[in-house]
Amino acid sequence: MNQTIRKLLAGCALSIGLFSVSLTAANAEKMPEDVINLVPQQIQDSGVIRVGSQQTFPPVEFREPGKTEVVGVSADLLAEVADRLGLKLEYIHGEYSSLIPGVEAGRFDMASGGISDNETREEKLDFVNYMMSGGSILVRDDEDGAKLDHIDKFCGRSVATLLGSRIIMDAVEKASAICETNGGKPITAEQLPSAPDARMQLDLKRVDGYLGDFPALVYMIETMPGKYQIAGGNFVLTPYVTSWGFGKNANGLRDAVQKTMQTMLEDGTYAILMGKWGLGGGALPEITINKPASKR
């Protein structure tokens, strides 16, 4: 496990508690005209960035029960980016598996809500990388769950995850193949349209584990004590980089967001907003484009 992931685990395990913050004066400053002018004219004219998001992915991007506002670390970072570019955000709900096609079809200007950059996805979209993360396994907080401390304990068992979670599924398929090579039974995997749907399979005891982002799993444990635990306490199935996706013909918006985020990193705003959600350990040293975990 690399050092960045270890720091993320430590930071998340300490607290996902939220607190109010006062950003530095730098956050009120607009970006230079040459950066603002990178934004496509159509978006400048409308004054709005359309953001495709599943909105069910705490603490990254979600809506609290009974509320319409999208909150989370991604939402806070994007709100600051939009403000510095003189724009506003319009969130459009979409299932996770529909976010990349939605950008390709022009329904969204960008895709958000916990998408991870990988080389296969880069064939369709470009990605601005903003947080180091990793996939882990949520199990029930009972005697059987305590035995499931690693993916290799899931031979002959079942897991559920979000439809479109390709990096996680690749890791599960690899582990399942090892199970069979060693004479065991394969791992059965179900993919559901939304994170709550997938996690419900664990609640209903239809599967033995739910696979998702480590920060999101910690958030669930913190908000529902005594119900779940993470396999092995902090087992990471696979590391990845959480990112925002942009169409291949939208380099201007991509670059404007990347440059604005880099400015936020340099003036300290990025660290403040990451820390607000207990995710400071996942902060990147540089805001990159198309640099997945496999290239780090």
Side-chain angles (χ1 to χ4, degrees):
M1 192 187 306
N2 66 35
Q3 187 176 8
T4 304
I5 286 291
R6 289 186 186 280
K7 289 180 179 178
L8 175 61
L9 300 184
C12 289
L14 283 173
S15 174
I16 294 289
L18 308 184
F19 54 90
S20 60
V21 293
S22 213
L23 299 184
T24 61
N27 81 323
E29 297 177 2
K30 302 301 181 187
M31 292 299 293
E33 286 298 319
D34 62 328
V35 175
I36 292 175
N37 288 337
L38 290 171
V39 177
Q41 192 62 49
Q42 182 179 355
I43 295 176
Q44 290 191 46
D45 291 343
S46 69
V48 173
I49 302 174
R50 299 170 302 159
V51 183
S53 168
Q54 58 176 311
Q55 303 173 21
T56 57
F57 190 56
V60 177
E61 209 167 78
F62 65 107
R63 286 179 295 160
E64 296 175 333
K67 297 185 179 180
T68 58
E69 180 187 7
V70 178
V71 297
V73 67
S74 172
D76 279 356
L77 291 170
L78 283 179
E80 181 67 16
V81 168
D83 183 62
R84 294 188 183 206
L85 292 172
L87 301 169
K88 295 186 180 301
L89 302 174
E90 177 189 346
Y91 282 94
I92 301 173
H93 179 264
E95 301 294 354
Y96 186 79
S97 60
S98 73
L99 297 182
I100 291 177
V103 173
E104 291 182 300
R107 184 182 174 207
F108 319 129
D109 298 312
M110 61 180 291
S112 184
I115 295 177
S116 53
D117 181 4
N118 66 51
E119 294 178 46
T120 300
R121 287 176 178 164
E122 286 175 10
E123 295 174 5
K124 297 182 177 182
L125 299 187
D126 286 333
F127 295 90
V128 172
N129 316 129
Y130 69 89
M131 183 174 71
M132 195 71 192
S133 188
S136 295
I137 310 172
L138 194 72
V139 296
R140 289 181 291 273
D141 190 10
D142 55 24
E143 185 176 345
D144 187 54
K147 299 175 184 177
L148 302 173
D149 59 0
H150 193 282
I151 189 63
D152 61 14
K153 299 292 181 64
F154 280 81
C155 297
R157 290 181 178 259
S158 57
V159 297
T161 191
L162 190 61
L163 182 65
S165 301
R166 190 62 254 168
I167 294 177
I168 285 178
M169 282 302 300
D170 285 345
V172 171
E173 289 165 6
K174 181 179 179 180
S176 184
I178 292 174
C179 289
E180 294 186 276
T181 298
N182 293 336
K185 295 182 179 179
I187 301 170
T188 302
E190 292 187 46
Q191 296 186 75
L192 283 296
S194 74
D197 289 341
R199 193 186 75 245
M200 183 63 70
Q201 304 309 300
L202 181 63
D203 295 341
L204 295 173
K205 298 187 176 182
R206 293 174 180 168
V207 300
D208 302 295
Y210 162 69
L211 295 97
D213 269 21
F214 185 90
L217 303 190
V218 173
Y219 184 90
M220 292 175 193
I221 291 172
E222 291 282 336
T223 55
M224 293 177 274
K227 189 171 184 178
Y228 305 115
Q229 58 183 301
I230 292 175
N234 62 6
F235 171 70
V236 172
L237 177 64
T238 181
Y240 44 76
V241 181
T242 305
S243 311
W244 297 307
F246 300 83
K248 288 292 186 180
N249 61 347
N251 291 353
L253 182 60
R254 177 202 70 186
D255 292 349
V257 170
Q258 184 274 328
K259 290 179 184 298
T260 305
M261 277 289 293
Q262 184 63 32
T263 298
M264 289 163 54
L265 183 152
E266 292 166 0
D267 69 28
T269 305
Y270 170 67
I272 291 173
L273 292 176
M274 292 288 286
K276 171 184 172 181
W277 293 90
L279 299 175
L284 297 176
E286 179 186 8
I287 304 302
T288 51
I289 293 174
N290 293 343
K291 192 174 181 181
S294 60
K295 295 180 180 178
R296 294 175 184 264

